[in-house]
Amino acid sequence: MSETVTLPRTSKRVKEQEDQTVKRQPPYHVILLNDDDHSYEYVIRMLGQLFGYPPEKGFQMAKEVDTSGRVIVATTTLEKAELKRDQIHAFGPDPDIKRCQGSMSAVIEPAPQ
């Protein structure tokens, strides 16, 4: 004797979840700005400590900020971008450069979607 089982096509809860659209937060770039008061070593150390970048990646970014005046160091949500910018601003002066008065500067800009 065989039984036939009929399953509902979709439950009301599943249908409601399908109808809801997921709203993603728009991405933002954290951009490190160049100055003449911070060494490559400082930039490499800062990017390693704040972003977890290995020294090779830190060097590439230090070189780019030095040559082009700016480098994107992260792309993330606005809240995380603000946190990372604030961490850059709070990192402190470069101990190897006497004239250095404080941290490097960074800005946040919307990332193209």
Side-chain angles (χ1 to χ4, degrees):
M1 172 156 75
S2 69
E3 292 182 30
T4 304
V5 177
T6 305
L7 298 174
R9 291 185 186 177
T10 57
S11 70
K12 185 176 181 181
R13 176 180 277 174
V14 170
K15 187 155 178 99
E16 287 172 359
Q17 288 175 347
E18 289 173 354
D19 290 342
Q20 292 178 354
T21 57
V22 176
K23 293 186 179 179
R24 293 182 179 253
Q25 294 182 359
Y28 286 83
H29 291 315
V30 180
I31 301 170
L32 184 65
L33 303 175
N34 189 42
D35 62 35
D36 292 329
D37 292 338
H38 296 89
S39 64
Y40 274 43
E41 290 79 13
Y42 174 94
V43 175
I44 293 165
R45 184 173 56 253
M46 177 188 62
L47 294 174
Q49 288 181 19
L50 299 183
F51 296 91
Y53 292 138
E56 299 80 17
K57 176 87 171 168
F59 177 79
Q60 290 173 347
M61 290 181 154
K63 188 175 180 180
E64 184 174 341
V65 75
D66 186 37
T67 57
S68 69
R70 53 193 282 140
V71 64
I72 297 170
V73 294
T75 302
T76 186
T77 64
L78 178 59
E79 185 176 306
K80 288 181 183 177
E82 290 171 338
L83 171 66
K84 290 302 181 183
R85 177 205 55 208
D86 293 347
Q87 288 176 334
I88 291 169
H89 289 166
F91 198 73
D94 187 334
D96 297 329
I97 298 182
K98 299 280 186 207
R99 71 178 181 271
C100 183
Q101 297 292 311
S103 303
M104 291 187 76
S105 294
V107 295
I108 298 170
E109 294 178 359
Q113 292 186 28

